Amino acid sequence: MQPIRTFNVSPSLPSRLEPLRRLAYNLHWDWNVETKDVFRRLDPDLWESSHHNPVLMLGTISQGRLLEVVEDEGFLAQMDRANRQLEDYLQERTWYQKQRGQDAKECYAYFSAEFGLVDCLPVYSGGLGVLAGDHLKSASDLGLPLVGVGLLYQQGYFAQYLNADGWQQERYLMNDFYNMPLHLERNADGSELRIAVNYPGRKVYARVWRVQVGTVPLYLLDTNIEPNNSYDHDITDQLYGGDIDMRIHQEIMLGIGGVQMLKALGYEVTAYHMNEGHAAFSALERIRTLIQQDGLSYAQARQVVSSSNIFTTHTPVPAGIDLFAPDKILHYLGYYADIFSLPKEQFLGLGRENTGDLSAPFSMAVLALKMATFSNGVAQLHGVVSRQMFQGLWKKVPVEEVPIAAITNGVHARSCVSKSTQELYDRYLGPNWSSAPPDSQLWERMDAIPDEELWRNHERCRLDMILYVREHLVKHLRDRGASASEIAQAQEVLDPNVLTVGFARRFATYKRATLWMRDLNRIKQILLGNKDRKVQFVIAGKAHPKDIPGKELIRDINHFIREQHLEKQVVFVPNYDIHIARLLVAGCDIWLNTPRRPREASGTSGMKAAMNGLPNLSVLDGWWDEADYVRTGWPIGHGENYEDPNYQDEVEANAFYDLLEKEVAPLFYDHRDGDGLPRPWVAKMKNAIRLNCPFFNTARMVREYAQRAYFPASDRYHTLITENYAPAKELAAWKSKLADHWFNIKVKDIDVSAASDIEVNQTVSVKAKVDLSVLTNDDVQVELYQGAIDAHGEIVNAKPVVMDYQGIDPQGLGIYTGNITYTSSGLQGLSLRVLPKHPYLSSAYEPRLIAWAE
């Protein structure tokens, strides 16, 4: 029966409890201990059963309980205190204001296909989404004028359960948006704010929901509305669900719809950040708007857009990039080619590394890179890998100079450190520990934390985790219809006094979740062989529903547990989510990560573990490769790369066993004092906190994005749009001239003052004559390029030296001079190159042109 009217029924609160509504709808409660305690205190059982959803709590709690707490002065005092803390947080003078001033007119838009903020808002799948959520939280902490843009999935990502054989099954639960911390955006007349996005033969409508993340609004698009047809309802149905057509539908809505939504909301965005390539279509929509509404040419509009776009890649392998067939792109987006006045192949070339390969698919990462003024990987090693992957986009540019930077990921400290541990840090380090930089004297106070207090706190966290895991397993088994004996066994899994290894992450095959099982006899000996050095494992994670090899890894682990009768020593925790993750990174003793180097872009779970005082035991990949892995944990291997993956698995599995048996377990068990304190282990815990917490956090990460990307991109945008886009028009015209004449540049003559044998630090003078064709010295920068010669005869570890312009000779050639020295001996090399130069360029590599001496 269809309703003739619908009503959105809000919780009915006594007036004295109205602050609860305000607290519930701002996700600041997720990283504010006081506010979380208020809701937990209101009804502990309902807090847990609602998946920590204060909005749902307020809508379902009994009126009797509300009337009780109105008379509870202690509760009211705590509620008022939490409300004041939120007010102070929203009003405080911020880092951003100190950097840019009170009057800065800026807005940064952060696009992501998923956001992992809290477990009661399940529109995320894993690390990418949690990183995006942490980005928003730290942007709020720092006061950045940031807005988030994403999709609101009706079913979100799947809930995981295991059948009796240990095979992953998926259950898709319907999200009830009206009982989540979401606001439906409305027009002034009270009607829903909606946008309309063009798809082939129709328009698709979307309404807008807002999640308030501290001071940062996150806007999520929802297509599950009339008058959309049933297929279009499903565009925002499942995260990473459906086929390739559904994927392009989602990415059109995210990128194109996201730009339209920001305009409808009245935002004047000055920098756009694409978190992965999913939102790259946003660049096309921005160009279209500038052409059709502001009268710019395609070249001029593209200049404005690319000068204010930022792109972050999280993908260390080509297989992880979204690719679409050329005919699919033309079917869905070919009208943009008409608006841009571009031939179809030139339009498709925007998403191709080799524009001459007419059969190549359209790459979202390539489109994003071509449309960005700043691009980056998410760890230093990942930056190296990304520059190698995409070197073809900057032909003749040395791989180390490919303009893809690295900004190492971080995690939001207040979100991932357990409540009791936060209180410990607050007490001894002060309230600013979560954002203090590495050079802060605050970190010298780590030694002031008594060993016993840190250790006993950690033991409580381990016990809390184990109790939760037991309860979680019992519920899972009951839902599955397991036997009474299985349920009884689950109530006794894990020992609160045993060294506990944690492994929890997405079950992609390259992460090698079963590497620790490679030698069954040896791992059984470690688990059971020494009663004085027992070891246990807690494992969690999901495989993508279509990733059969990933699902097989989960099944293999569960078969191993059952066949080897290790139910008490090894536990697989189903339905991994943010809440389970926080318990594991606080309650385990050591964090394990075994990716196949160099395929881990960053990996953030180990950072969360370190912030809780856990040493890491990991392959040197992602973030761990740049951490102090000796003082804060143990490295598996020494960063070697292998051609034979089977041999690599053998070597690294054995290294893991050796470390666990000979170093980790002895340090945990064998050096305890009379009070049972493992003081050397606690010292390693303190190092893990002191050395990792201040760097591998999103406070540092977002500051770095702001200073290296947002501020410069926003400034460029303001510059290029002044005087009716005059600078953008000038730069576009200059680039056109450059493209027409660049390949006529020739280095005619190079005169080197020294012979082939020179001494260290000897000055070598170089004079060159360059035919610039119709270009002038104002258009170029001529550089000497010096460095050592490797075994392949190539210049490596090079350093460019800008040459001085001396004028024009009688033949019309530009004369350039420069001096170089070599600070080390051996075979060294020298070359000369010409790069574009213009005051409005973001970098010399922006036009993707370079000329070398031959």
Side-chain angles (χ1 to χ4, degrees), residues 92-263:
E92 69 183 11
R93 180 167 168 75
T94 64
W95 175 85
Y96 170 79
Q97 289 174 323
K98 295 171 186 174
Q99 297 290 313
R100 303 291 274 180
Q102 294 277 9
D103 301 324
K105 295 180 179 178
E106 297 179 319
C107 177
Y108 317 135
Y110 182 89
F111 286 69
S112 183
E114 52 174 305
F115 288 90
L117 289 155
V118 288
D119 53 314
C120 69
L121 197 58
V123 291
Y124 64 93
S125 71
L128 176 72
V130 175
L131 182 279
D134 283 2
H135 194 109
L136 300 194
K137 292 174 182 177
S138 280
S140 172
D141 292 342
L142 297 169
L144 261 64
L146 188 84
V147 296
V149 178
L151 302 179
L152 185 60
Y153 304 99
Q154 186 73 58
Q155 297 183 5
Y157 205 51
F158 66 91
Q160 178 197 55
Y161 67 99
L162 305 180
N163 66 16
D165 190 44
W167 188 260
Q168 173 183 292
Q169 305 286 297
E170 295 86 33
R171 181 186 296 116
Y172 289 91
L173 306 175
M174 298 297 285
N175 286 326
D176 179 4
F177 300 152
Y178 292 97
N179 276 313
M180 289 179 167
L182 299 164
H183 297 272
L184 188 59
E185 290 295 301
R186 297 185 179 275
N187 296 308
D189 62 2
S191 60
E192 292 180 356
L193 176 67
R194 295 190 172 191
I195 62 161
V197 179
N198 287 324
Y199 286 79
R202 68 200 191 281
K203 288 184 180 294
V204 177
Y205 298 89
R207 59 183 171 181
V208 181
W209 297 82
R210 172 169 54 89
V211 184
Q212 196 62 40
V213 187
T215 62
V216 170
L218 165 61
Y219 295 101
L220 302 172
L221 289 163
D222 168 22
T223 65
N224 191 17
I225 55 174
E226 300 299 334
N228 292 338
N229 62 42
S230 59
Y231 183 90
D232 294 339
H233 281 188
D234 292 345
I235 292 174
T236 56
D237 189 23
Q238 294 178 5
L239 172 60
Y240 304 140
D243 57 16
I244 195 69
D245 280 292
M246 180 53 70
R247 177 63 67 90
I248 198 170
H249 273 78
Q250 290 182 330
E251 297 190 359
I252 288 170
M253 183 56 63
L254 174 63
I256 297 171
V259 171
Q260 293 182 10
M261 175 186 69
L262 289 171
K263 184 175 182 182

Side-chain angles (χ1 to χ4, degrees), residues 125-127 157-158 160 162 166 168 503-517 538-558 571-576 584 594:
S125 71
Y157 205 51
F158 66 91
Q160 178 197 55
L162 305 180
Q168 173 183 292
F503 180 98
R505 53 190 39 85
R506 185 165 54 92
F507 266 67
T509 52
Y510 78 85
K511 293 179 182 284
R512 298 189 296 177
T514 56
L515 186 69
W516 61 277
M517 291 166 39
V538 180
I539 301 167
K542 296 177 177 179
H544 187 278
K546 296 179 181 177
D547 183 2
I548 300 304
K551 290 185 174 184
E552 289 172 345
L553 294 177
I554 294 173
R555 184 194 57 191
D556 291 346
I557 291 171
N558 284 283
V571 175
F572 185 91
V573 185
N575 205 26
Y576 184 50
L584 266 56
T594 51

Side-chain angles (χ1 to χ4, degrees), residues 215-437:
T215 62
V216 170
L218 165 61
Y219 295 101
L220 302 172
L221 289 163
D222 168 22
T223 65
N224 191 17
I225 55 174
E226 300 299 334
N228 292 338
N229 62 42
S230 59
Y231 183 90
D232 294 339
H233 281 188
D234 292 345
I235 292 174
T236 56
D237 189 23
Q238 294 178 5
L239 172 60
Y240 304 140
D243 57 16
I244 195 69
D245 280 292
M246 180 53 70
R247 177 63 67 90
I248 198 170
H249 273 78
Q250 290 182 330
E251 297 190 359
I252 288 170
M253 183 56 63
L254 174 63
I256 297 171
V259 171
Q260 293 182 10
M261 175 186 69
L262 289 171
K263 184 175 182 182
L265 289 164
Y267 285 99
E268 192 66 46
V269 180
T270 57
Y272 290 76
H273 187 173
M274 299 171 285
N275 188 43
E276 256 307 341
H278 307 119
F281 293 143
S282 60
L284 306 182
E285 177 64 7
R286 293 182 62 206
I287 292 171
R288 180 198 68 79
T289 301
L290 290 168
I291 292 173
Q292 293 190 327
Q293 297 182 9
D294 290 13
L296 300 187
S297 69
Y298 165 73
Q300 294 163 351
R302 179 176 174 178
Q303 185 61 62
V304 174
V305 168
S306 63
S307 294
S308 51
N309 265 354
I310 293 129
F311 171 55
T312 296
T313 174
H314 296 257
T315 306
V317 289
I321 296 170
D322 280 342
L323 302 174
F324 296 113
D327 60 345
K328 200 171 292 294
I329 290 291
L330 293 177
H331 175 68
Y332 286 102
L333 298 163
Y335 66 95
Y336 277 101
D338 298 332
I339 294 169
F340 298 171
S341 299
L342 293 181
K344 295 292 190 278
E345 291 303 334
Q346 190 176 342
F347 177 72
L348 290 170
L350 296 175
R352 288 170 170 164
E353 182 175 309
N354 179 3
T355 56
D357 183 355
L358 304 186
S359 63
F362 189 96
S363 164
M364 295 298 282
V366 169
L367 174 63
L369 285 164
K370 287 185 174 182
M371 291 291 177
T373 183
F374 179 90
S375 301
N376 69 282
V378 291
Q380 297 304 312
L381 181 58
H382 182 232
V384 173
V385 172
S386 298
R387 288 189 285 275
Q388 293 168 345
M389 277 179 61
F390 297 111
Q391 184 183 12
L393 289 172
W394 289 271
K395 298 187 187 307
K396 297 186 179 181
V397 173
V399 65
E400 64 271 15
E401 294 188 50
V402 167
I404 300 177
I407 295 180
T408 301
N409 275 347
V411 294
H412 188 255
R414 290 282 183 183
S415 296
C416 68
V417 176
S418 71
K419 176 187 176 225
S420 62
T421 307
Q422 285 193 49
E423 291 169 344
L424 188 67
Y425 297 168
D426 287 344
R427 191 157 58 247
Y428 288 99
L429 304 181
N432 297 322
W433 64 268
S434 59
S435 59

Side-chain angles (χ1 to χ4, degrees), residues 16 23 32 34-35 37-38 41 73-88:
R16 182 66 180 89
L23 292 170
N32 181 270
E34 190 82 66
T35 311
D37 278 350
V38 167
R41 179 175 179 175
E73 292 185 3
F75 178 86
L76 295 176
Q78 187 177 20
M79 178 190 71
D80 291 340
R81 192 161 57 246
N83 195 40
R84 284 195 302 273
Q85 288 177 4
L86 175 59
E87 186 62 33
D88 291 345

